[in-house]
Amino acid sequence: MKPFAIADTLLESRFFLGTAGYPSPKVLQDAITASGAAVITVGLKRQLTPSASGGAGAALDNSFFQMLKDSGLHLLPNTAGCKTGREAITLAQMAREIFGTNWIKLEVIGDDYTLQPDPIELIRAAEELVKDGFEVFPYCTDDLVTCRRLLDAGCRILMPWGAPIGSGQGLTNPHALRTLRARLPDVPLIVDAGIGSPMDAVQAMQMGYDAVLLNSAVSQAHDPVNMAAAFKLAIQAGRMGFEAGIMARQDMAVPSTQVTGRPFLL
C-alpha cells in the first residue's frame, strides 16, 4: 500500500494496534508482527509500576515498556482511565518523558458504563496539550460539532468511535461517520473503538477513513496472531476498494452481460 502522512510522519500501514489484554508477551509480539502495524498504542496509567506512580521522573522497572520501545514502531501513548482533563494532561506529560514522543492519544472518559468521552473536558485538555507542543490524537464520539471544536483547539487528527470501547459492535452509526468524512475531507480520521471483526475494518476504510485503531478485536480473539493478520488484509482491501472507486448501488437488477447487439449467436 502507498504510505500515508499523519502528524508530519509517513506511515507504511494504516493499522494502529493496541497492546493490552493479550494472553502473553510472546503472543503480543507475534500479533504486532503479523499485523504489519506502524503504530502501537500503550495505556500508561494501567501499566505504571508502584515505583513509577510518584511522578514522571520515577524509575520504571517494566519489561513491557521496554519491549514496546524495542519494537522500533511509532508509539502512541494514551490517557486511558482518566476522567478529568487535568488528570489526562498530567499523564500525557509523563508519557512524553518516558517514551520520548509528543504523540498522545487523548482519552477523557465521562461515563463509566459506555466509556463515552467527556466532550467538555476533552476539548479543554486538547487545547492545553496542543499549546504544550503535543500532537493530540483525541478519542471522541462521531458528533460533528464536537469534532469541529477539537479542530479549533488545535488538533490535526480526529479519532471518532465506531462503538463503545471493547464492545465489538462494529460501526453502529455509519451515517454519522460518513457525515464526518464528507464534512471534514482534509482531516485525517481514524476509527477508534468498537471494531469487532475484519468486516468492520473494511467498512470503515471503504468510507474513506484514513486508518483504523483497535485492540480487543485482536487481543480477545481465540487466535490473536491470525486475527491480526486478518485485520491487516481487511484494512488493505478496504482502502484499495475506496481508492479504486466502488460502484453505485442500484434499486433494480442491471444485467452485467448485455443481451442485445450481440456480434455472435448462441
Side-chain angles (χ1 to χ4, degrees):
M1 293 186 66
K2 299 176 183 177
F4 82 109
I6 193 166
D8 301 322
T9 302
L10 278 179
L11 299 178
E12 297 292 333
S13 170
R14 295 173 181 269
F15 191 177
F16 288 46
L17 181 64
T19 57
Y22 286 80
S24 71
K26 179 63 165 60
V27 171
L28 170 59
Q29 287 180 310
D30 291 345
I32 290 173
T33 300
S35 73
V39 177
I40 52 178
T41 70
V42 53
L44 184 63
K45 187 173 183 179
R46 302 187 187 283
Q47 296 294 337
L48 284 174
T49 60
S51 63
S53 61
L60 275 176
D61 181 19
N62 196 322
S63 59
F64 176 78
F65 283 147
Q66 192 59 48
M67 179 186 71
L68 297 184
K69 289 181 177 181
D70 293 343
S71 72
L73 301 179
H74 294 277
L75 296 183
L76 180 59
N78 67 47
T79 62
C82 292
K83 296 184 178 181
T84 67
R86 178 52 50 194
E87 185 183 11
I89 289 167
T90 300
L91 203 61
Q93 292 167 341
M94 293 175 65
R96 180 165 60 182
E97 182 171 336
I98 292 168
F99 294 111
T101 178
N102 70 329
W103 285 17
I104 192 72
K105 177 187 170 185
L106 179 61
E107 296 185 33
V108 184
I109 300 303
D111 181 74
D112 289 335
Y113 181 73
T114 64
L115 300 182
Q116 181 172 331
D118 181 328
I120 307 303
E121 290 292 300
L122 183 67
I123 294 167
R124 289 174 178 167
E127 187 172 23
E128 186 165 337
L129 287 171
V130 168
K131 290 178 180 177
D132 194 24
F134 283 90
E135 188 70 63
V136 178
F137 292 65
Y139 164 63
C140 55
T141 65
D142 50 24
D143 178 70
L144 176 61
V145 175
T146 298
C147 288
R148 282 177 165 167
R149 294 296 176 265
L150 287 166
L151 296 175
D152 292 342
C155 297
R156 301 193 296 168
I157 300 145
L158 297 174
M159 303 181 74
W161 69 355
I165 293 174
S167 68
Q169 295 179 23
L171 309 186
T172 58
N173 194 348
H175 171 73
L177 292 173
R178 282 193 294 266
T179 298
L180 281 183
R181 181 71 286 174
R183 299 296 296 275
L184 305 173
D186 300 321
V187 177
L189 298 178
I190 303 171
V191 171
D192 176 19
I195 295 291
S197 75
M199 178 182 66
D200 303 326
V202 171
Q203 184 182 8
M205 298 306 293
Q206 287 185 166
M207 288 181 182
Y209 275 73
D210 297 280
V212 169
L213 191 157
L214 59 92
N215 187 153
S216 300
V218 170
S219 67
Q220 302 305 307
H222 294 300
D223 186 340
V225 177
N226 274 340
M227 186 61 78
F231 271 106
K232 173 185 176 179
L233 297 175
I235 290 167
Q236 291 177 347
R239 182 66 190 185
M240 290 176 69
F242 171 74
E243 292 178 348
I246 297 169
M247 66 172 288
R249 292 186 177 185
Q250 307 293 329
D251 291 333
M252 300 181 64
V254 178
S256 57
T257 302
Q258 299 299 324
V259 295
T260 59
R262 292 172 298 176
F264 55 88
L265 297 175
L266 295 178

